[in-house]
Structures are given as C-alpha cells and as structure tokens.
Amino acid sequence: MAENESFNTKIIMAGADREQWYNSTQLPKIQDDYRLHLSCVRNIFEALVRRGLITPDPYKKDNKVTSIQCPDTEPFSDNERSQVLGIRLSNYESVIDYVCNYMRFSVEMLNIETIKKMLELNNVFTWSNLSLNSTRSNTRSLASAINELKNNADQLTVSMIKDNTLKTQNAISEINNVLKGLAEFQKERYKLDIRKNILENSSFDKGKAYASPQGMTTEIRRLFPSCMAKRPLSNELIAEVVAEETAPNKAELQAALLAKINVKEETSESKIQKVDTHAILMEALRLVGTTYDSYKVIYDKIVANHDVLQSGKKSIKEKLLKLLRSFFGLEEPKVDYEVFLTDKKTETKKKEIVHYNDFSAGLLKRVKIYSAFAVKDTPGYNKISQQKDEAILEYLNKQITENNHLFALVIALDEYFKNHVDMVDRAKIKGCSMELTTIKNILVKANQQRSDYVAYAEEAEQMKKLGI
C-alpha cells in the first residue's frame, strides 16, 4: 500500500508539472499560431474581396461573437459561391478573432468540450488540403476561389497567397497537434483529480479498495458524488485508475503513465549542443520578411488614400493632365506630406517630410525584397543563408531599425490622410491599423529571435574562451 501511495504522490506531482508546461509553453505558442492564422486568413480574404471573387458578409459588424460557434459547413452550389463563401469566411474570421483575443489559453479553461469545439472550428476549412476535388463544399469553394485568384494575379499576389496558405497550414497543424495532446492530458487530469480528491481522502477505505479491483471501484464510486460533485462520472476513466492501482501488470501501467505525463527536460549541456544559432538568426530575418504581405496591403491603401486626397484638391484641368500622364506612362509630379512622428520615450513630436513618390516606390521595393526570403528554402532565402552570420546580423539590425522608422511613418501618414481629407471623402480613407498590428507582432517575435541569437552566440564565445 505504501508503494501505491508513493506512486500517487509521483503522478500528482508529474501532472502538476505537465499542466505548468502547457500553461507556460504550449498554450502561449498555439495562441500565437492562432494570431498568425488570423492574419493569413485576413490577407487571403481581402485579396479575394478585391478581385470580386467573394462578397463579404454585410452584417459582419452586427454579429457579436461571444463563444465558439462554427460557421455552416452544409453543401452549396457553385453559383452561390461568391455570397455563401464570403459569409462563411467572414464568420470564420470573426470566431478566430474571438479565440485570439477573448479566450483564456490555460489548461483550466480549455476543457475537453472546448477543445472539441476548437478542433471543429479549425476543420471548417481543410487548410492542410485545399483541393479542388475536396468533398467538403467550404474547402472546395475556397480552393477554387484561390486558384482563380492566382491564375490572373501578378507575381507578388501569387507569392503572397502561397506564403499565407503555407503559414496557415503549418499554424493549424501545430494547433491541432497541441489540442489533441491536451485533450489526452485532460483525461489524465480527470484521473488525477480522482487520485487527489478520493484516493487521498480520509474517508477512503484503503483496506477495502486495495483488496480487489471491485473494492477499488466501489470505494471510488461511493465517494465520487461528494468529492467530484462538478464532474461527470466516467466509468472508462475510473476503470483505468483501478487498473493502475490493482491490476497484476500495474507496475507496467504506472511506468507507462509516468512516461506519458512527465515533461522531458534536456540538460543545459545538451541544449547548448543542439542550439543552431544560424537557424535562429535566419528565422529572425525570415520573420521580418513575412511582413511583406502586410506592407503590400499598406502600399495599396496609401496609394488609394493619396489619390483620394489629391483628387479632392485638383481642378478639372489637373485631373485631365493626370489622366494623360497615366495614359502615356509619364511620372506623376512630386508630392510632399508634412507629418509628425511621436517619440515613445519622450512623447515629443518631430516633423518629417514624406516625399510621396519616393516613399511609395521604396515601400513597393521593400515588399519585393522581403517576399524573396519570407519562405524557407527559396532562392532568395538560401542566398542570404549562405552568408556569414555577422553579415546576416548586420543586415537584420538594419532592417529592424528601418522597419521601426517605417512603422512610425505609416502611423503618421495614416493620421495625416484622415485629418486632411475633405469631409465628403473621409469615408473613402482606408486605415492601416490592422496591418500595423500584424507587423508590430511580427517585429516583436523577430526581435526576440535576434536577442536569443546574440545570447547564444555570446554564451558560445565564452565557452570557447574557457576551453569548454
């Protein structure tokens, strides 16, 4: 019996460690994966809307999401695709937004029922296999719309769609793996609660319980209503606890259970040996590259806002000249915008002149450069990866510095357009807040990767000096 009490203590402690591991490591990671997935879905959604391939839900803003409600998955005809797919994608985006921003990612909150709903939500569209031959209407229609978009789009849009599709496939795959593992652990948590609340209860008759499997079952069921009042009774999981405590092969069952729940920790030495600093550095740079799709949307919005602002100021003659310049491919006259950047540390404002033609051309150039190394194992990525780490780090530092300044400029331009457009045209101005949030989150991750690289590199250098 002392042996059983010893195992009970071990498994309860292992369960607490596993729960902490989920809360501190796995669940924050899949929350980030959900945010990445949401960003990708929005990029794909907006590209489909711009091409007129789907019609967004006109009542989307009126539909307040307060729980996980899966969009409809019932079949629909191809001639209904634009409207039905648009509504379902709109609903899907809203629910994923709710998951990202309003749900608490903890073992306590993500019970088996919630996990089941999350897995069903992730499967509304089969992201891992967007096939034209899918038997599921949502997936088949989305695949068809994306295929039409890519067939008639410029190379930049095609690259953006491919990149976002790949990223969202990887994100959903990672999320599903963690959720399925958590669902298994929730079953073990149920059993751990039986051990903590019943097997260690002072009213639990150990003599009767350990006399036979039936005795153990009877004792657990006797105390279950009072000790586990808020939990449904599961005969299957109770039977597993009984077997782990009384079966002839209980030693094997207990060893397997401990191995299943224990969090495997690597020693510091093995961690140092396995850290690939070059991979960390390249991941930081690749993350910066993934901002290209958000910058492409920002570019389109700034161009549109610029046109709205300028058209409101021009006479009929100037508008005619603009049309002629466009017809003959002539360069537009230079336009300067006087904006104010806010220093976050001092809260002071600094004036800066934005030369619109140069700014928009530079933004588009950045989109093209970043798209070249945003995906692993592409020619652009591999070309940079072949360089020395010192050169890559220098380039990364430069890009992060430039992005921070560009981020501030876009915010300032966003405010400028909103404040200087005619009242009648104000509704035509497109804000960039969503894209800026996406870029900010990506840069935070890239900065963390850069910090990790510097820390590991300095540690390796110190070890080298010490002759270790």
Side-chain angles (χ1 to χ4, degrees):
M1 199 172 293
E3 180 184 341
N4 288 317
E5 290 177 358
S6 174
F7 171 73
N8 213 38
T9 301
K10 283 182 185 177
I11 199 65
I12 288 172
M13 290 177 63
D17 289 342
R18 170 67 65 164
E19 183 165 338
Q20 174 61 25
W21 177 70
Y22 269 112
N23 285 336
S24 63
T25 304
Q26 299 298 92
L27 296 183
K29 185 180 186 309
I30 68 165
Q31 187 172 29
D32 284 342
D33 285 333
Y34 264 122
R35 287 172 178 152
L36 172 62
H37 174 58
L38 177 61
S39 175
C40 293
V41 169
R42 282 174 171 166
N43 289 335
I44 293 170
F45 181 85
E46 287 177 3
L48 293 173
V49 170
R50 283 197 299 270
R51 279 287 308 279
L53 293 169
I54 60 172
T55 304
D57 184 1
Y59 303 106
K60 180 181 176 181
K61 292 182 179 179
D62 299 330
N63 299 328
K64 301 299 179 184
V65 178
T66 57
S67 63
I68 299 177
Q69 301 168 337
C70 288
D72 197 354
T73 57
E74 289 297 310
F76 57 89
S77 62
D78 289 340
N79 59 6
E80 296 177 292
R81 189 187 72 186
S82 175
Q83 185 175 4
V84 175
L85 181 61
I87 290 174
R88 292 185 184 183
L89 264 175
S90 294
N91 293 343
Y92 181 81
E93 181 196 336
S94 297
V95 182
I96 294 292
D97 180 77
Y98 165 80
V99 170
C100 288
N101 298 306
Y102 297 96
M103 276 182 54
R104 186 175 149 211
F105 278 67
S106 69
V107 172
E108 189 66 33
M109 298 303 294
L110 302 186
N111 55 37
I112 289 179
E113 188 59 36
T114 301
I115 292 170
K116 182 180 177 183
K117 289 180 180 177
M118 292 170 78
L119 289 170
E120 287 176 358
L121 174 65
N122 296 348
N123 200 39
V124 167
F125 298 94
T126 312
W127 297 104
S128 60
N129 186 25
L130 288 174
S131 170
L132 296 173
N133 299 319
S134 175
T135 57
R136 308 177 76 237
S137 283
N138 285 354
T139 302
R140 185 175 63 254
S141 296
L142 178 58
S144 178
I146 289 175
N147 195 51
E148 284 185 35
L149 175 63
K150 289 194 292 188
N151 285 341
N152 300 291
D154 58 87
Q155 189 56 44
L156 198 59
T157 301
V158 171
S159 178
M160 182 273 286
I161 293 295
K162 285 182 178 178
D163 183 42
N164 278 269
T165 302
L166 178 63
K167 285 193 288 189
T168 206
Q169 286 172 351
N170 292 337
I172 288 294
S173 175
E174 180 69 27
I175 291 167
N176 286 343
N177 287 338
V178 172
L179 289 178
K180 288 172 184 176
L182 180 58
E184 286 300 311
F185 177 63
Q186 289 290 12
K187 294 178 182 178
E188 297 305 330
R189 281 185 80 238
Y190 180 96
K191 291 159 59 180
L192 288 170
D193 283 347
I194 290 176
R195 292 177 179 281
K196 286 187 287 187
N197 300 334
I198 298 179
L199 270 60
E200 294 194 343
N201 193 292
S202 58
S203 300
F204 183 68
D205 192 329
K206 295 180 181 178
K208 289 182 180 179
Y210 287 99
S212 67
Q214 184 57 44
M216 175 69 74
T217 303
T218 300
E219 275 301 289
I220 291 174
R221 291 178 68 89
R222 179 176 71 83
L223 293 175
F224 194 94
S226 58
C227 297
M228 304 267 290
K230 296 181 179 180
R231 308 292 292 275
L233 189 144
S234 170
N235 290 320
E236 180 184 353
L237 296 178
I238 289 174
E240 287 185 19
V241 174
V242 171
E244 289 158 5
E245 293 294 314
T246 62
N249 65 334
K250 69 177 185 179
E252 294 176 19
L253 295 174
Q254 290 177 358
L257 182 57
L258 267 174
K260 181 180 179 182
I261 290 184
N262 271 333
V263 178
K264 296 185 179 76
E265 293 186 0
E266 297 175 334
T267 64
S268 298
E269 184 179 350
S270 64
K271 283 182 180 178
I272 293 171
Q273 290 174 349
K274 290 182 180 179
V275 168
D276 185 344
T277 53
H278 180 76
I280 293 173
L281 184 59
M282 284 304 298
E283 178 60 16
L285 186 62
R286 189 195 69 79
L287 282 169
V288 173
T290 62
T291 60
Y292 81 88
D293 47 3
S294 294
Y295 277 131
K296 176 62 168 65
V297 176
I298 287 174
Y299 169 82
D300 291 338
K301 288 184 175 181
I302 286 177
V303 170
N305 292 343
H306 166 77
D307 290 343
V308 170
L309 190 62
Q310 293 303 313
S311 64
K313 296 179 178 180
K314 290 180 178 178
S315 63
I316 296 175
K317 179 182 176 181
E318 288 172 321
K319 290 179 180 179
L320 181 59
L321 288 172
K322 177 179 172 63
L323 184 63
L324 290 172
R325 283 194 297 269
S326 175
F327 183 78
F328 290 106
L330 300 176
E331 187 178 340
E332 287 291 315
K334 292 184 178 180
V335 177
D336 292 338
Y337 292 121
E338 185 180 281
V339 300
F340 291 87
L341 308 185
T342 303
D343 189 307
K344 292 182 180 179
K345 293 181 180 178
T346 63
E347 293 298 321
T348 57
K349 289 185 178 290
K350 183 182 76 170
K351 182 173 73 174
E352 186 163 334
I353 303 298
V354 176
H355 305 294
Y356 171 76
N357 298 51
D358 295 339
F359 178 82
S360 58
L363 192 55
L364 191 57
K365 182 180 178 182
R366 187 176 299 270
V367 170
K368 292 178 180 178
I369 292 172
Y370 282 3
S371 66
F373 60 80
V375 181
K376 290 181 179 180
D377 297 325
T378 54
Y381 178 94
N382 292 334
K383 183 178 179 180
I384 296 175
S385 183
Q386 289 165 8
Q387 298 181 33
K388 292 183 179 180
D389 282 3
E390 292 80 4
I392 298 172
L393 179 60
E394 184 180 350
Y395 183 67
L396 172 63
N397 289 338
K398 179 184 176 185
Q399 295 311 309
I400 289 180
T401 300
E402 289 181 356
N403 270 275
N404 288 333
H405 184 241
L406 180 57
F407 189 87
L409 279 178
V410 173
I411 292 176
L413 267 177
D414 210 26
E415 292 178 358
Y416 183 93
F417 288 134
K418 291 172 183 175
N419 294 333
H420 289 78
V421 73
D422 291 340
M423 187 66 72
V424 291
D425 291 328
R426 186 163 291 178
K428 298 177 183 178
I429 296 296
K430 301 177 180 180
C432 300
S433 59
M434 188 173 74
E435 292 76 28
L436 287 169
T437 300
T438 300
I439 292 171
K440 182 180 179 181
N441 291 337
I442 291 172
L443 291 179
V444 167
K445 292 179 185 177
N447 243 324
Q448 183 58 55
Q449 289 282 339
R450 178 177 63 167
S451 298
D452 290 347
Y453 166 79
V454 172
Y456 282 125
E458 288 177 352
E459 184 179 0
E461 186 62 27
Q462 282 295 110
M463 301 285 277
K464 186 178 179 181
K465 288 180 180 179
L466 295 170
I468 299 175

